[in-house]
Amino acid sequence: MLSNLKGRNFLTLKDFTGEEIMDFLTLAAELKEKKKKGIFDKVYQGKNIALIFEKTSTRTRCAFETAAHDMGIGTTYLDSRVSQIGKKESIADTARVLGRMYDGIEYRGFGQSVVEELAKYAGVPVWNGLTNEYHPTQMLADLLTIKEHKGDFKGLKFVYMGDARYNMGNSLMIACSKMGMHFVAAAPKKYHPNPALVQECKAFAAASRGSISFEEDAMKAAKDADIIYTDVWVSMGEPDEVWEERIRDLTPYKVTMDIMNTAKKDAIFLHCLPSFHDLKTEIGKEMGERFHLTEMEVTDEVFQKYAEVVFDEAENRMHTIKAVIAATLG
Ligand code: CP
Ligand code: NVA
């Protein structure tokens, strides 16, 4: 089965079947187990990968670097300040250059069309490390964490609170619908994903016996949930002007203890991170002062109560990204 993944790009989970997603997860679990035992198969010794970040990152960059180093793979980090990308050289030419030197390329940036262009010209596997539209490596970490805590995906009720039109909402809807979960986005109508993507996901859900639905009442959405998930209200690259409107529109979807107590007793809380659960960040502090808040998308009480699982999820970024590299490198 894994051989189906060799040489493939990893741009969105839409491109993979539920079985292929399970293959990535099985491999990630094996690699996690091996790492815990101190076993590192340097099967890719001598290979090199390029890591392009046009937006900032802690988890994704560190996950790619540690995963690669564990497998004996060399890495080069590039961003728009230190490279010619975009300003002096097109994405197509960058892809053709990097494809001659590297065995795989990670890209984090803005439009999905950019990572698609890179993949079209690189001639080596390209991995999407986050675009405005999708965040597929995050999905594998989230799925592995759910599998570890819940055992299986089929029939689980997954509730996403917040802006469901962006990378996280879109990607979670795809991931849930591929794996047979019941995905509910709790958000005002204007924050629902685009109808074409909803239609695609409804077809995935029909095949996996999952479902897709939308609910404007956060409490109703949370009822009997197995997983409650949220993300920041303003994403990287969005203008500062949107904060006020987002805070006004999305505060009813903040994950509070009342929300968690409405979900199932053994429900888990997940967050892709970083998170504004207190005022210990520059932006958190600024918004706290401007809008008289002590936290945004999740209360500190909820965050601390479920911190163990949230940081399992963060750790799983590395094991799952290692699986993506291992499975797709040619
Ligand atoms: N979740 C995530 O992608 O984190 P980073 O932005 O730190 O990479
Ligand atoms: N929606 C967030 C996800 C960060 C991992 C962003 O794009 O900034």
Side-chain angles (χ1 to χ4, degrees):
M1 278 300 273
L2 273 177
S3 59
N4 286 344
L5 302 172
K6 283 268 170 266
R8 299 261 298 269
N9 296 311
F10 190 80
L11 306 183
T12 156
L13 282 197
K14 281 199 284 181
D15 299 339
F16 296 90
T17 62
E19 289 76 27
E20 288 169 338
I21 294 169
M22 279 305 285
D23 284 346
F24 280 122
L25 299 178
T26 304
L27 179 59
E30 277 169 31
L31 293 168
K32 180 171 182 175
E33 189 70 26
K34 280 191 172 172
K35 187 174 169 95
K36 303 270 174 207
K37 291 185 182 145
I39 303 167
F40 300 100
D41 299 326
K42 304 274 181 191
V43 281
Y44 289 116
Q45 193 90 46
K47 301 250 183 208
N48 290 290
I49 63 174
L51 309 175
I52 305 172
F53 283 86
E54 299 207 86
K55 287 177 177 169
T56 51
S57 167
T58 296
R59 273 147 293 274
T60 310
R61 177 185 176 178
C62 295
F64 267 97
E65 292 206 11
T66 51
H69 297 162
D70 282 352
M71 292 189 284
I73 298 170
T75 57
T76 303
Y77 175 81
L78 295 164
D79 65 27
S80 34
R81 285 169 308 133
V82 301
S83 70
Q84 316 288 18
I85 299 169
K87 285 194 205 76
K88 285 177 69 182
E89 194 154 38
S90 68
I91 291 296
D93 287 357
T94 303
R96 289 189 285 188
V97 172
L98 297 180
R100 297 292 184 106
M101 299 183 191
Y102 291 92
D103 303 288
I105 304 168
E106 178 277 353
Y107 176 84
R108 165 173 287 199
F110 296 87
Q112 181 73 6
S113 59
V114 180
V115 77
E116 283 168 4
E117 174 96 344
L118 201 60
K120 183 170 168 197
Y121 290 100
V124 296
V126 170
W127 309 298
N128 179 359
L130 177 148
T131 58
N132 295 346
E133 291 89 342
Y134 303 116
H135 196 5
T137 61
Q138 178 73 51
M139 292 309 103
L140 293 186
D142 297 345
L143 290 173
L144 182 61
T145 311
I146 293 169
K147 196 163 176 287
E148 288 171 344
H149 288 267
K150 297 281 163 202
D152 192 13
F153 301 114
K154 298 283 176 202
L156 293 179
K157 180 175 178 182
F158 184 109
V159 180
Y160 176 78
M161 299 274 178
D163 183 354
R165 308 162 301 179
Y166 219 70
N167 44 25
M168 289 305 302
N170 289 344
S171 299
L172 288 166
M173 181 169 68
I174 297 165
C176 289
S177 61
K178 289 268 180 181
M179 304 316 284
M181 287 189 267
H182 300 296
F183 175 84
V184 182
K189 271 209 175 66
K190 71 180 189 201
Y191 293 93
H192 290 182
N194 83 63
L197 183 63
V198 173
Q199 279 322 311
E200 271 186 272
C201 288
K202 284 199 165 160
F204 301 148
S208 70
R209 300 208 191 139
S211 65
I212 306 284
S213 60
F214 299 96
E215 173 57 63
E216 288 188 66
D217 182 318
M219 281 299 188
K220 271 194 197 154
K223 185 139 179 43
D224 296 328
D226 295 285
I227 300 119
I228 303 276
Y229 201 114
T230 192
D231 180 22
V232 290
W233 290 340
V234 176
S235 288
M236 290 182 278
E238 294 199 276
D240 272 356
E241 296 79 74
V242 301
W243 274 107
E244 188 173 351
E245 185 188 26
R246 291 291 164 78
I247 288 171
R248 192 183 55 237
D249 291 347
L250 297 176
T251 293
Y253 304 89
K254 173 187 298 199
V255 181
T256 59
M257 281 311 294
D258 281 348
I259 292 277
M260 292 311 299
N261 290 335
T262 306
K264 280 195 186 142
K265 262 204 164 53
D266 61 351
I268 55 171
F269 167 75
L270 293 175
H271 192 309
C272 52
L273 303 179
S275 158
F276 294 120
H277 58 90
D278 57 26
L279 303 182
K280 294 178 188 161
T281 61
E282 273 174 40
I283 295 175
K285 189 162 176 283
E286 184 195 330
M287 296 309 152
E289 282 165 8
R290 266 175 67 190
F291 301 105
H292 311 291
L293 307 168
T294 50
E295 72 264 307
M296 284 191 262
E297 73 277 5
V298 55
T299 65
D300 196 46
E301 191 183 6
V302 169
F303 188 86
Q304 301 305 347
K305 179 167 181 204
Y306 295 91
E308 215 36 53
V309 58
V310 172
F311 291 106
D312 282 349
E313 181 187 9
E315 177 190 329
N316 283 338
R317 297 299 309 286
M318 188 256 297
H319 306 299
T320 47
I321 279 174
K322 190 186 278 180
V324 170
I325 300 173
T328 59
L329 269 195

XYZ file of all heavy atoms in Angstrom, residues 116-185:
550
model
N 0.803 24.563 -5.720
C 0.479 23.723 -6.897
C 1.452 24.010 -8.045
O 1.898 23.091 -8.746
C -0.966 23.963 -7.336
C -1.952 23.247 -6.431
C -3.399 23.669 -6.635
O -3.674 24.477 -7.538
O -4.244 23.194 -5.853
N 1.780 25.283 -8.226
C 2.745 25.681 -9.271
C 4.124 25.065 -8.971
O 4.800 24.539 -9.852
C 2.829 27.217 -9.282
C 3.874 27.808 -10.198
C 3.311 28.221 -11.553
O 2.199 27.786 -11.891
O 4.018 28.957 -12.260
N 4.504 25.133 -7.717
C 5.783 24.551 -7.301
C 5.800 23.050 -7.638
O 6.765 22.531 -8.214
C 5.911 24.772 -5.788
C 7.259 24.725 -5.119
C 8.208 25.768 -5.676
C 7.088 24.978 -3.611
N 4.714 22.384 -7.301
C 4.624 20.936 -7.534
C 4.653 20.618 -9.030
O 5.243 19.622 -9.462
C 3.346 20.395 -6.904
N 4.073 21.496 -9.826
C 3.995 21.271 -11.278
C 5.394 21.263 -11.892
O 5.673 20.495 -12.813
C 3.141 22.385 -11.892
C 2.911 22.256 -13.358
C 1.858 23.249 -13.811
C 1.844 23.326 -15.328
N 1.146 24.534 -15.781
N 6.293 22.112 -11.382
C 7.601 22.261 -12.025
C 8.770 21.601 -11.302
O 9.864 21.533 -11.838
C 7.916 23.764 -12.210
C 7.028 24.398 -13.248
C 5.912 25.140 -12.884
C 7.289 24.209 -14.611
C 5.084 25.703 -13.846
C 6.471 24.768 -15.572
C 5.367 25.509 -15.189
O 4.544 26.049 -16.146
N 8.555 21.139 -10.046
C 9.713 20.700 -9.254
C 10.275 19.348 -9.704
O 11.484 19.123 -9.633
C 9.345 20.647 -7.775
N 9.407 18.438 -10.094
C 9.888 17.098 -10.471
C 10.259 16.243 -9.270
O 10.772 15.128 -9.423
N 10.059 16.742 -8.075
C 10.270 15.970 -6.831
C 9.041 16.225 -5.958
O 8.313 17.198 -6.193
C 11.563 16.413 -6.073
C 12.803 16.127 -6.895
C 11.505 17.893 -5.659
N 8.792 15.372 -4.944
C 7.604 15.593 -4.111
C 7.607 16.966 -3.433
O 8.642 17.435 -2.960
C 7.696 14.488 -3.052
C 8.508 13.418 -3.692
C 9.498 14.134 -4.574
N 6.428 17.607 -3.453
C 6.243 18.901 -2.773
C 5.223 18.692 -1.658
O 4.185 18.057 -1.865
C 5.771 19.974 -3.782
C 5.329 21.246 -3.053
C 6.894 20.300 -4.767
N 5.539 19.205 -0.475
C 4.686 19.050 0.709
C 4.157 20.407 1.131
O 4.938 21.351 1.347
C 5.492 18.426 1.856
C 6.217 17.171 1.471
C 5.654 15.992 1.042
C 7.642 16.947 1.470
N 6.638 15.060 0.793
C 7.865 15.626 1.044
C 8.742 17.739 1.801
C 9.135 15.069 0.930
C 10.015 17.186 1.692
C 10.201 15.870 1.259
N 2.849 20.503 1.303
C 2.219 21.757 1.723
C 2.340 21.924 3.240
O 1.719 21.192 4.010
C 0.738 21.730 1.303
C -0.004 22.979 1.723
O 0.565 23.878 2.353
N -1.280 23.042 1.375
N 3.126 22.903 3.649
C 3.306 23.176 5.084
C 2.348 24.231 5.604
O 2.559 24.745 6.702
N 1.335 24.553 4.868
C 0.228 25.491 5.180
C 0.102 26.524 4.080
O 1.092 27.162 3.693
C 0.415 26.210 6.530
C -0.633 27.272 6.962
C -0.806 27.299 8.482
C -0.285 28.667 6.462
N -1.116 26.626 3.572
C -1.476 27.735 2.674
C -2.734 28.369 3.255
O -3.273 27.883 4.256
C -1.774 27.238 1.245
O -2.836 26.266 1.314
C -0.548 26.637 0.583
N -3.204 29.436 2.618
C -4.450 30.050 3.105
C -5.591 29.028 3.095
O -6.459 29.059 3.951
C -4.859 31.220 2.206
C -3.857 32.348 2.259
O -2.999 32.384 3.146
N -3.951 33.281 1.324
N -5.560 28.134 2.113
C -6.686 27.221 1.922
C -6.583 25.920 2.721
O -7.599 25.397 3.173
C -6.838 26.853 0.437
C -7.289 27.990 -0.452
C -6.136 28.826 -1.017
O -5.018 28.755 -0.466
O -6.353 29.542 -2.003
N -5.372 25.373 2.848
C -5.240 24.038 3.444
C -4.008 23.921 4.354
O -3.006 24.616 4.153
C -5.108 22.966 2.348
C -6.244 22.957 1.362
C -6.019 23.255 0.016
C -7.542 22.651 1.761
C -7.062 23.261 -0.906
C -8.589 22.659 0.845
C -8.343 22.962 -0.478
O -9.377 22.972 -1.379
N -4.101 22.972 5.301
C -2.962 22.670 6.191
C -2.905 21.142 6.395
O -3.171 20.635 7.482
C -3.157 23.406 7.520
C -1.930 23.497 8.363
N -0.682 23.062 7.946
C -1.740 23.967 9.633
C 0.196 23.265 8.909
N -0.415 23.815 9.939
N -2.555 20.410 5.333
C -2.701 18.945 5.401
C -1.760 18.224 6.362
O -2.140 17.176 6.902
C -2.445 18.503 3.954
C -1.657 19.594 3.335
C -2.117 20.863 4.000
N -0.546 18.737 6.595
C 0.317 18.007 7.550
C -0.262 18.117 8.956
O -0.147 17.184 9.756
C 1.789 18.499 7.533
O 1.838 19.878 7.903
C 2.443 18.291 6.174
N -0.913 19.256 9.244
C -1.578 19.399 10.554
C -2.669 18.334 10.703
O -2.883 17.780 11.795
C -2.177 20.801 10.663
C -2.933 21.060 11.960
C -2.007 21.217 13.157
O -1.067 21.981 13.117
N -2.287 20.494 14.232
N -3.342 18.022 9.589
C -4.441 17.040 9.647
C -3.959 15.682 10.104
O -4.624 14.996 10.875
C -5.118 16.895 8.264
C -5.862 18.111 7.835
S -7.002 18.704 9.099
C -6.115 20.092 9.753
N -2.791 15.260 9.596
C -2.305 13.937 9.993
C -1.987 13.907 11.485
O -2.271 12.918 12.167
C -1.073 13.547 9.175
C -1.285 13.299 7.682
C 0.008 12.779 7.056
C -2.430 12.319 7.408
N -1.433 15.000 12.009
C -1.146 15.056 13.447
C -2.440 15.010 14.250
O -2.541 14.322 15.276
C -0.367 16.320 13.774
N -3.454 15.725 13.761
C -4.737 15.743 14.471
C -5.372 14.353 14.446
O -5.881 13.869 15.457
C -5.682 16.780 13.827
C -5.122 18.197 13.937
O -4.177 18.402 14.731
O -5.610 19.086 13.228
N -5.304 13.712 13.275
C -5.907 12.375 13.163
C -5.154 11.373 14.035
O -5.769 10.532 14.705
C -5.922 11.913 11.700
C -6.896 12.665 10.778
C -6.702 12.239 9.324
C -8.354 12.448 11.197
N -3.827 11.447 14.040
C -3.062 10.504 14.877
C -3.431 10.706 16.349
O -3.616 9.730 17.091
C -1.549 10.688 14.657
C -0.655 9.723 15.447
C -0.930 8.256 15.076
C 0.829 10.030 15.229
N -3.585 11.961 16.755
C -3.914 12.251 18.157
C -5.315 11.706 18.489
O -5.530 11.121 19.553
C -3.836 13.773 18.409
O -2.597 14.245 17.888
C -3.923 14.091 19.887
N -6.242 11.880 17.552
C -7.596 11.353 17.782
C -7.543 9.825 17.884
O -8.150 9.222 18.772
C -8.554 11.795 16.644
C -8.761 13.316 16.710
C -9.885 11.057 16.722
C -9.468 13.923 15.505
N -6.769 9.212 17.006
C -6.652 7.746 17.004
C -6.065 7.266 18.335
O -6.534 6.287 18.921
C -5.757 7.330 15.831
C -5.817 5.884 15.455
C -5.234 5.694 14.050
C -5.200 4.237 13.677
N -4.157 3.496 14.401
N -5.046 7.977 18.807
C -4.423 7.582 20.077
C -5.393 7.706 21.249
O -5.370 6.904 22.170
C -3.199 8.464 20.354
C -2.025 8.159 19.435
C -0.874 9.171 19.560
O -1.077 10.273 20.120
O 0.214 8.866 19.076
N -6.240 8.729 21.195
C -7.130 8.980 22.344
C -8.489 8.314 22.203
O -9.151 8.054 23.205
C -7.291 10.485 22.578
C -6.044 11.102 23.148
N -5.843 11.247 24.498
C -4.909 11.549 22.560
C -4.649 11.790 24.716
N -4.056 11.980 23.546
N -8.916 8.060 20.976
C -10.275 7.518 20.773
C -10.276 6.134 20.123
O -11.333 5.512 20.005
C -11.103 8.464 19.880
C -11.322 9.840 20.481
C -12.429 9.800 21.508
C -12.430 10.988 22.401
N -13.110 10.743 23.666
N -9.138 5.692 19.624
C -9.041 4.341 19.057
C -9.434 4.255 17.595
O -8.778 3.595 16.816
N -10.528 4.894 17.221
C -11.034 4.779 15.844
C -11.680 6.116 15.464
O -11.913 6.965 16.318
C -12.077 3.649 15.791
C -12.432 3.270 14.369
O -11.714 3.687 13.428
O -13.452 2.571 14.185
N -11.984 6.286 14.182
C -12.593 7.547 13.733
C -14.095 7.415 13.487
O -14.841 8.373 13.621
C -11.952 8.009 12.413
C -10.467 8.217 12.522
C -9.586 7.393 11.825
C -9.965 9.213 13.326
C -8.211 7.585 11.931
C -8.592 9.404 13.445
C -7.720 8.594 12.744
N -14.485 6.210 13.073
C -15.851 6.015 12.569
C -16.901 6.468 13.581
O -16.884 6.034 14.741
C -16.098 4.541 12.222
C -15.189 4.027 11.119
C -15.646 4.488 9.738
C -14.661 4.054 8.663
N -14.711 4.836 7.443
N -17.766 7.345 13.129
C -18.916 7.757 13.947
C -18.627 8.829 14.985
O -19.545 9.278 15.671
N -17.375 9.277 15.111
C -17.078 10.310 16.107
C -17.688 11.641 15.679
O -17.701 11.972 14.487
C -15.564 10.494 16.277
C -14.775 9.335 16.881
C -13.286 9.688 16.939
C -15.280 8.976 18.280
N -18.162 12.396 16.665
C -18.681 13.735 16.374
C -17.566 14.753 16.620
O -17.078 14.898 17.739
C -19.896 14.056 17.241
C -20.452 15.456 16.953
C -21.735 15.746 17.727
C -22.217 17.181 17.447
N -23.413 17.519 18.209
N -17.192 15.435 15.550
C -16.072 16.389 15.576
C -16.648 17.789 15.372
O -17.263 18.070 14.349
C -15.114 16.045 14.428
C -13.871 16.888 14.395
C -12.636 16.338 14.730
C -13.922 18.219 14.032
C -11.487 17.116 14.702
C -12.779 19.005 14.013
C -11.548 18.457 14.349
N -16.456 18.649 16.353
C -17.024 20.005 16.250
C -15.916 21.040 16.148
O -15.049 21.126 17.025
C -17.929 20.309 17.465
C -18.506 21.721 17.360
C -19.046 19.285 17.540
N -15.960 21.804 15.068
C -14.988 22.879 14.858
C -15.668 24.204 15.167
O -16.690 24.537 14.566
C -14.492 22.853 13.403
C -13.555 24.001 13.123
C -12.234 23.946 13.546
C -13.996 25.152 12.472
C -11.376 25.018 13.329
C -13.137 26.224 12.254
C -11.833 26.148 12.688
O -10.989 27.208 12.483
N -15.097 24.957 16.090
C -15.664 26.244 16.503
C -14.862 27.382 15.882
O -13.648 27.472 16.112
C -15.545 26.413 18.033
C -16.268 25.373 18.829
S -17.976 25.885 19.036
C -18.598 24.479 19.943
N -15.492 28.258 15.136
C -14.770 29.453 14.666
C -14.852 29.649 13.171
O -15.810 29.226 12.520
N -13.821 30.283 12.608
C -13.808 30.634 11.187
C -13.572 29.379 10.357
O -12.440 28.903 10.229
C -12.691 31.669 10.950
C -12.655 32.152 9.508
O -13.403 31.605 8.676
O -11.875 33.076 9.232
N -14.650 28.853 9.776
C -14.552 27.578 9.056
C -14.223 27.756 7.571
O -14.229 26.791 6.812
C -15.851 26.796 9.219
N -13.902 29.000 7.158
C -13.645 29.231 5.720
C -12.176 29.134 5.380
O -11.807 29.245 4.214
C -14.033 30.664 5.318
C -15.367 31.123 5.662
C -15.424 32.636 5.612
N -14.451 33.230 6.539
C -14.267 34.534 6.695
N -14.956 35.392 5.976
N -13.377 34.993 7.563
N -11.317 29.042 6.390
C -9.889 29.176 6.151
C -9.200 27.812 6.178
O -9.852 26.774 6.167
C -9.314 30.142 7.205
C -8.262 31.056 6.644
C -8.585 32.072 5.752
C -6.923 30.884 6.992
C -7.599 32.894 5.225
C -5.940 31.702 6.473
C -6.286 32.712 5.598
O -5.299 33.517 5.077
N -7.861 27.816 6.235
C -7.117 26.553 6.110
C -7.560 25.467 7.095
O -7.733 24.312 6.701
C -5.606 26.795 6.205
C -5.202 27.756 7.311
O -5.906 27.914 8.299
N -4.060 28.408 7.134
N -7.762 25.831 8.367
C -8.081 24.788 9.338
C -9.494 24.250 9.161
O -9.706 23.038 9.170
C -7.861 25.296 10.769
C -6.392 25.491 11.128
S -5.403 24.013 10.858
C -6.266 22.865 11.893
N -10.462 25.156 9.007
C -11.838 24.699 8.823
C -11.960 23.829 7.576
O -12.540 22.733 7.613
N -11.383 24.292 6.473
C -11.435 23.526 5.212
C -10.803 22.150 5.394
O -11.361 21.124 5.006
C -10.642 24.238 4.116
C -11.308 25.508 3.617
O -12.496 25.722 3.854
N -10.543 26.347 2.941
N -9.597 22.145 5.966
C -8.846 20.891 6.042
C -9.487 19.898 7.001
O -9.495 18.693 6.736
C -7.404 21.168 6.500
O -6.781 22.010 5.567
N -10.016 20.411 8.104
C -10.665 19.495 9.059
C -11.925 18.896 8.454
O -12.227 17.719 8.679
C -10.975 20.238 10.362
C -9.724 20.562 11.197
C -10.038 21.591 12.282
C -9.109 19.309 11.821
N -12.641 19.699 7.673
C -13.842 19.172 7.014
C -13.451 18.039 6.045
O -14.119 16.994 5.985
C -14.558 20.307 6.272
C -15.821 19.880 5.567
S -16.791 21.276 4.973
C -15.734 21.923 3.684
N -12.344 18.225 5.337
C -11.873 17.181 4.411
C -11.445 15.941 5.199
O -11.862 14.811 4.906
C -10.682 17.699 3.564
C -11.109 18.874 2.685
C -10.088 16.569 2.718
C -9.938 19.669 2.087
N -10.619 16.163 6.232
C -10.084 15.024 7.005
C -11.216 14.223 7.641
O -11.249 12.985 7.543
C -9.115 15.534 8.073
N -12.163 14.912 8.249
C -13.273 14.204 8.916
C -14.108 13.438 7.899
O -14.514 12.299 8.141
C -14.163 15.191 9.670
S -13.381 15.882 11.128
N -14.365 14.079 6.754
C -15.236 13.421 5.775
C -14.544 12.225 5.116
O -15.184 11.267 4.721
C -15.734 14.415 4.725
O -14.654 14.965 4.007
N -13.232 12.257 5.049
C -12.499 11.096 4.492
C -12.492 9.924 5.485
O -12.390 8.774 5.087
C -11.040 11.485 4.216
C -10.863 12.430 3.044
C -10.621 11.672 1.760
C -10.438 12.607 0.588
N -10.231 11.902 -0.663
N -12.535 10.243 6.803
C -12.326 9.196 7.803
C -13.621 8.722 8.481
O -13.572 7.982 9.458
C -11.334 9.673 8.877
C -9.986 10.131 8.335
S -9.265 9.060 7.058
C -8.660 7.700 8.039
N -14.768 9.174 7.985
C -16.032 8.666 8.535
C -16.477 9.343 9.813
O -17.243 8.764 10.595
N -16.008 10.576 10.044
C -16.468 11.299 11.234
C -17.632 12.217 10.869
O -17.856 12.526 9.704
C -15.309 12.114 11.825
C -14.279 11.247 12.513
S -13.058 12.220 13.432
C -11.779 12.407 12.216
N -18.352 12.649 11.906
C -19.451 13.604 11.706
C -18.900 14.989 12.012
O -18.676 15.326 13.178
C -20.627 13.247 12.604
C -21.157 11.874 12.320
N -21.726 11.549 11.102
C -21.136 10.731 13.052
C -22.062 10.272 11.110
N -21.711 9.746 12.281
N -18.667 15.756 10.958
C -18.047 17.081 11.103
C -19.139 18.137 11.234
O -20.043 18.221 10.397
C -17.187 17.375 9.868
C -16.598 18.767 9.864
C -15.424 19.037 10.543
C -17.221 19.805 9.172
C -14.875 20.316 10.544
C -16.676 21.084 9.167
C -15.501 21.342 9.861
N -19.035 18.924 12.292
C -19.968 20.042 12.489
C -19.148 21.314 12.609
O -18.249 21.393 13.454
C -20.790 19.863 13.794
C -21.788 21.014 13.956
C -21.496 18.516 13.819
N -19.436 22.301 11.769
C -18.772 23.604 11.924
C -19.744 24.515 12.657
O -20.878 24.709 12.210
C -18.403 24.192 10.573
